[in-house]
Amino acid sequence: MSDFNSFGFSSQLKAQIRLKGYETPTPIQSQSIPHLLKGRDLLGIAQTGSGKTAAFSLPILQRILDSKITIESNCVRCLILAPTRELASQIEGNIKFYGEKMNFTSTTIFGGVSKSKQLEALSEGVDILVATPGRLLDLIEDGRVDFSQLDTFVLDEADTMLDMGFLKDVKTIISKLPKSKHTLLFSATMPQAIGELAESLLDDPLKISVAPEATTVETIKQEVYFIDKKDKMYLLLNILAKPEVKSVLIFCKTKFGANRVVEQLDISMIKSAAIHSSKSQNARDKALDSFRAGEIKVLVASDIAARGIDVDHVTHVINYNLPEDPSNYIHRIGRTARAGRNGHAITLCVIGELSLLKNVETKIGISIPVILDQPFHKEFSQDALNEFKKSKPAKKIKKNNSHSRRRKR
Ligand code: AMP
């Protein structure tokens, strides 16, 4: 097994890795870092929470330390594309931390905030630029970004880019980059369009897959609660009152729904905040910071806004509504059980959502246990259950670490 001393990182980086509390490299880190340090292209099929950010950031920083290039004005040495502003900020935050003792520059570029500061940072030239596709493309089209010194390109969460409709923008950006560069592509799943992009973009890449496609993180305890719509808030309050429920991310289908949950929690004196695309960047940052700092126990999110959320201590993810797209179930519950911790994912399901639940179970290939031992359990009609049971995955969740009574299915 490798350890962080075996990679040949500089003392500055090693000190920051220690300060961050990392003791052992995660599988994606031990498998990729030695190759990335040598400049090999990489295709990483990596789940959220796998430690992929450090896997690419640390070698990039080491390579910057080892090189003597001076970055000219408006030039970028390394471009990292991420699908959401939160993820972009988070990546840059990590990079700043790992590189704190180094002399290098980094900045972020994303929409929803004024361009002037971003342009100012760019005008001096930056070593590492972390950007979302839309705003970056704007600035490229305005002639404000120069890629002639670019030597490294990272495309993170490529499948999310595809889901969010950014693939065309991503391809346009790629067409502006120099042909010869060190390229890394990360994706949790490998839909055909991403496979094709990888094929055209990467040169003899090292392929690493740290978890099979579309499986959910093993350490997450998953449960479903059948419920009547009118009882949902009562059940939520009941769950939130349990002592083990310390830090909770709640997912709602709509922004309106997320705001309503926050209002209702407020009435019950539970501190929470909503994070979704209609909120200003400031409000989103503030909500995330208070959640991270433990000042609020509950963050209520829509799918898109939550993509980049990386908060170590989320004990519970609650699906207040089932996602329309079953892939989002995987993204959602991956927000708990980060980097080897245990986590708990609870899905509230009303009768009209049984078909969505079936889609989720088909996607993850397992039946999620239904908890009967809860005050608002709703017995669904036999017809609805029969329909639900048809063509369900046979495999049951292996780990049964709840004391609750479960439905035999
Ligand atoms: P990522 O998959 O990059 O979003 O990382 C998920 C979480 O794992 C982050 O909170 C990281 O700080 C943490 N992490 C990354 N590498 C390690 C490591 N080697 N040991 C412990 N935690 C880590």
Side-chain angles (χ1 to χ4, degrees), residues 4 17 20-26 29 47-56 87 90 94 98 157 310-312 335 338-341:
F4 280 109
I17 293 168
K20 191 87 178 158
Y22 300 168
E23 285 170 7
T24 329
T26 64
Q29 291 164 0
Q47 263 175 320
T48 176
S50 59
K52 63 188 160 74
T53 314
F56 65 78
L87 184 57
Q90 212 164 262
N94 277 324
Y98 301 137
E157 301 212 353
D310 173 25
V311 180
D312 282 350
R335 305 292 129 191
R338 309 285 285 175
R341 289 181 180 79

